[in-house]
Amino acid sequence: MNLDGATAERVRRILGSPVVRARAVTDRGYAPNQRWVVRTGAGRSAFVKVARAPLTASWLRAEHAVYSGLSAAFLPELLGWDDDGAEPLLVLEDLTDATWPPPWTRDSVDAVLRTLDEVHATPLDLPVIGTDHHAAAGWPVVAEDPGPFLSLGLCSPAWLDRALPVLLEAATPEALTGTATLHLDVRSDNLCLRGGAAVLFDWNHAALGNPQLDVAFWLPSLHAEGGPRPEDVLDLDPAMAALVAGLFAARAGLPPIPTAPRVRVVQRAQLGTAMPWVVRVLDLPPPDGDPV
């Protein structure tokens, strides 16, 4: 993937020097945006992200709103923004030289936890999560149509029939609500480590809610990448495990998204650690006798 001339010109106007080198970033992020690390003739490097679809354009505008409204150590430096009405372009500092997990260590896990405490205590003007948030529509969706979830082979229909009442009761929508600033998409592809703290990217889902949600939605991917089990990181409300597992259970078995085919793969990996977590936390019988 090459940086086209029109995009290079937009970047030149922002950085004040022509782009002389561009490297496509393809190993991080799952939305159909285009990403590059560029270097200008003046010797400056930067990270560039361009939205190529209406939905991701709205997400990029939401992300830019966070960067433009706040300066904090947990945010990358905003270098520029260009919105042509169709394909907005965001330019951030280049953090290639930072530490990008995995692998995870106890120190890096603690660094993310400390940073999330700072995020949660930082006031931002954001939408408020209500009890109708999509995170509450996990196990109810599975109960209505269990086929996609069962197609993953994680349990039998009989086990699901027995477990669903407990899962539905535990995944209370009221547990979503709160007043803390949330990132709501904490994963290794959306963060790096610098100076003993985390820098977080992709703020398009940011909202106000229960601060435990940020940690809870991070923990399954952390464990899937070789980190500790969720309950060994932090003692959370059991509703968090039920909500997280339900969200992935309702989505991981759906057909692939043509413009973002890796999304289902990632959701399946996260469900693979979220399901054993919720089984342990709620003291459910192992699915069909398999150890968790």
Side-chain angles (χ1 to χ4, degrees):
M1 178 173 54
N2 296 319
L3 186 68
D4 63 272
T7 302
E9 173 58 20
R10 295 170 74 185
V11 175
R12 184 200 65 77
R13 290 198 301 266
I14 290 171
L15 297 180
S17 180
V19 174
V20 296
R21 188 163 66 248
R23 173 178 59 84
V25 178
T26 58
D27 59 341
R28 290 182 176 271
Y30 306 108
N33 293 316
Q34 293 183 354
R35 305 167 181 83
W36 294 272
V37 172
V38 303
R39 181 168 291 277
T40 71
R44 188 174 195 180
S45 63
F47 173 78
V48 176
K49 181 160 65 171
V50 184
R52 299 299 193 190
L55 178 59
T56 57
S58 68
W59 289 351
L60 197 58
R61 293 183 183 107
E63 182 178 2
H64 170 251
V66 172
Y67 297 143
S68 62
L70 178 67
S71 177
F74 54 75
L75 294 175
E77 181 186 358
L78 173 65
L79 301 181
W81 169 253
D82 179 50
D83 191 348
D84 62 1
E87 297 184 343
L89 179 149
L90 179 70
V91 183
L92 302 173
E93 66 173 311
D94 175 18
L95 288 168
T96 301
D97 292 337
T99 300
W100 296 82
W104 291 97
T105 66
R106 185 68 235 190
D107 285 346
S108 60
V109 171
D110 288 343
V112 174
L113 292 174
R114 288 194 302 271
T115 297
L116 288 178
D117 284 342
E118 184 180 353
V119 170
H120 300 156
T122 301
L124 269 177
D125 183 17
L126 294 169
V128 177
I129 293 177
T131 56
D132 59 346
H133 190 267
H134 67 268
W139 293 116
V141 168
V142 173
E144 184 176 341
D145 180 13
F149 170 66
L150 290 173
S151 73
L152 298 169
L154 296 176
C155 69
S156 69
W159 183 90
L160 184 61
D161 286 343
R162 293 192 301 270
L164 261 177
V166 178
L167 293 165
L168 288 165
E169 182 179 7
T172 170
E174 288 73 21
L176 298 167
T177 61
T179 58
T181 293
L182 307 182
H183 179 277
L184 284 183
D185 202 13
V186 181
R187 298 191 312 268
S188 64
D189 57 303
N190 287 338
L191 66 85
C192 64
L193 301 171
R194 176 177 62 181
V199 180
L200 295 165
F201 303 88
D202 284 4
W203 287 80
N204 49 289
H205 297 305
L208 302 180
N210 184 339
Q212 290 195 25
L213 283 173
D214 261 344
V215 181
F217 278 103
W218 170 47
L219 294 181
S221 66
L222 171 67
H223 189 35
E225 292 175 336
R229 300 192 311 173
E231 61 267 45
D232 295 333
V233 175
L234 209 60
D235 185 20
L236 299 176
D237 181 346
M240 295 295 111
L243 287 164
V244 169
L247 184 140
F248 294 129
R251 289 162 174 77
L254 296 176
I257 302 170
T259 57
R262 291 188 62 203
V263 167
R264 300 296 182 225
V265 176
V266 173
Q267 291 173 341
R268 173 64 180 84
Q270 291 176 291
L271 180 60
T273 49
M275 275 295 294
W277 178 30
V278 76
V279 166
R280 293 190 299 265
V281 167
L282 298 183
D283 199 25
L284 290 166
D288 308 319
D290 294 334
V292 296

